[in-house]
Amino acid sequence: SLLSHGVVRVPIPLNLRPWADIFLAPCPMNDVFSEGSDNEYAFYRNILVDFLQEGDEDGGEEKRTIEGEGDRDADDGGEDRNLDGQQSFPFRKIYDALWSSGALTKHFGILRRDDLKLDDAFCIHYDTAQHDTRCAKHMDPSDITVNICLRRSPDAAGSQIIFYGRARLENADGPDPGAPAAPLHEKFLVDCVEGTATLHYGSHPHETSPLEGGCRTNVVMTYCYTDESRSGGLRTCYDYGCEEQQQERGEGGAD
């Protein structure tokens, strides 16, 4: 099962599909992972700043703690808006759904809502017009990553998340703490299911397989412990040398 490999799925009871079109709309800040011609690489857009709720504009950690998100604008039909007046992505409602599911406490040991803070968030879109629809093997600069599929076309094929090794979750049938670490070459595939969040430790090596047809759009949110002492050697950027560095540290991808 996914749990035994260190991955958790949580359905998100919100209509997030329209956000795929919002994020893909032309914007001066739209960018791609690497330099290249149009449609060469997967589409990438950072959404944390552009789509924060009103009240999140101040810098520092307080802006990104879950409980520190802005209030609703009661004069605007209950929709959340940022300072530019545009609708804000429902970061807080998504976290509410994750918290209510019990997965963060049961499997990741998060005992209080404010034990996590949102550190970054971006949208990534894959379609067959792009030359390279892969994402190289890496680890995330997070303690816990939440990857939500906003939209997946009916004809979509491929574009799965490939995880390497196993991560140990709490209250799950996973590796025994005293057992040898799972080899990093052991891998398994996880499909991106529309309307569902895939949760995993940021230190769990993974990559994206090539898209074989159709398209899909996801939002990736990286969360860090509010207590920075829990993060240990947290990466400050995406780590593409994960296998070699884990072997040097003797981690073997099991933790």
Side-chain angles (χ1 to χ4, degrees):
S1 69
L2 294 182
L3 290 176
S4 67
H5 286 81
V7 176
V8 180
R9 270 187 178 156
V10 177
I12 303 298
L14 300 171
N15 180 21
L16 299 177
R17 205 171 200 269
W19 281 98
D21 290 328
I22 294 173
F23 292 145
L24 293 176
C27 170
M29 296 303 294
N30 286 352
D31 201 354
V32 294
F33 278 123
S34 305
E35 294 183 0
S37 60
D38 291 343
N39 294 328
E40 183 172 359
Y41 300 101
F43 171 94
Y44 167 89
R45 180 178 184 178
N46 188 288
I47 65 171
L48 185 61
V49 175
D50 289 347
F51 295 93
L52 281 175
Q53 296 180 14
E54 184 175 353
D56 285 347
E57 66 277 12
D58 295 332
E61 292 182 3
E62 183 176 352
K63 140 181 144 177
R64 295 177 181 175
T65 57
I66 299 303
E67 299 295 353
E69 293 189 352
D71 296 329
R72 287 172 176 251
D73 186 350
D75 296 327
D76 195 25
E79 290 186 347
D80 296 319
R81 299 273 167 173
N82 65 14
L83 290 179
D84 294 328
Q86 66 181 4
Q87 188 177 356
S88 296
F89 190 68
F91 291 112
R92 185 172 187 173
K93 292 178 183 177
I94 290 172
Y95 192 83
D96 286 344
L98 296 175
W99 184 256
S100 297
S101 74
L104 290 173
T105 298
K106 182 176 181 179
H107 299 303
F108 294 95
I110 305 302
L111 302 181
R112 301 184 306 169
R113 284 181 56 96
D114 58 358
D115 281 349
L116 288 178
K117 59 182 178 180
L118 180 61
D119 185 67
D120 201 5
F122 62 88
C123 170
I124 188 164
H125 171 78
Y126 300 94
D127 63 50
T128 53
Q130 300 158 354
H131 175 70
D132 188 350
T133 56
R134 301 169 300 165
C135 185
K137 183 179 178 183
H138 63 282
M139 293 188 292
D140 299 337
S142 66
D143 290 303
I144 297 173
T145 295
V146 177
N147 188 339
I148 302 177
C149 184
L150 301 182
R151 181 170 62 192
R152 183 180 178 92
S153 65
D155 59 340
S159 197
Q160 298 164 307
I161 304 174
I162 305 173
F163 286 90
Y164 289 82
R166 299 190 182 199
R168 188 180 302 120
L169 296 176
E170 298 183 17
N171 300 302
D173 294 329
D176 185 88
L184 284 173
H185 60 75
E186 177 184 316
K187 58 185 179 181
F188 65 101
L189 302 177
V190 176
D191 289 317
C192 292
V193 179
E194 186 173 312
T196 299
T198 300
L199 282 64
H200 60 87
Y201 285 114
S203 58
H204 198 166
H206 58 283
E207 65 178 292
T208 302
S209 67
L211 181 75
E212 299 171 4
C215 64
R216 76 168 172 92
T217 306
N218 281 49
V219 160
V220 178
M221 298 181 292
T222 55
Y223 288 88
C224 297
Y225 297 127
T226 305
D227 180 359
E228 295 182 0
S229 66
R230 294 184 61 181
S231 297
L234 182 65
R235 293 156 302 285
T236 57
C237 62
Y238 287 86
D239 186 348
Y240 288 87
C242 51
E243 182 168 350
E244 294 78 6
Q245 292 186 15
Q246 281 201 336
Q247 288 176 342
E248 291 176 2
R249 294 194 295 260
E251 294 179 356
D255 292 319

